[in-house]
Amino acid sequence: GGVLGTALGIWLSQQFIPFLQMGDSEAALIPPYLVEIAWPAVIQIYVLFGGLFVVTLLVLSLFLVRMKIFHAVKLGETV
């Protein structure tokens, strides 16, 4: 999902941001907007989300290992 969202964001920004430039004359429209992707920020977000996923997975695994079997069965019955 993250890779697809990043790819769509890059593609859409390159398609639409150049058309958002405003001006009252042609000279005000030159040079056109250049789309620059902040790759360090994108990588930082991927690392953060990956780290949060791993921490959540570890906490959930620890919780499930420590859970007694009758709690798991009782938990299933309440749903």
Side-chain angles (χ1 to χ4, degrees):
V3 173
L4 181 62
T6 302
L8 282 174
I10 291 169
W11 180 71
L12 287 173
S13 65
Q14 290 175 346
Q15 295 298 315
F16 293 109
I17 289 178
F19 295 110
L20 297 176
Q21 193 163 0
M22 296 177 58
D24 55 354
S25 67
E26 286 188 29
L29 299 177
I30 298 172
Y33 281 155
L34 297 176
V35 177
E36 291 185 19
I37 307 298
W39 288 112
V42 172
I43 292 170
Q44 185 179 12
I45 290 171
Y46 275 140
V47 168
L48 176 67
F49 283 168
L52 288 174
F53 177 73
V54 168
V55 168
T56 304
L57 191 62
L58 290 173
V59 169
L60 180 63
S61 298
L62 180 66
F63 178 71
L64 289 174
V65 166
R66 297 184 69 202
M67 183 184 283
K68 305 261 189 296
I69 188 69
F70 67 89
H71 286 129
V73 172
K74 191 188 323 184
L75 183 65
E77 291 176 358
T78 60
V79 176

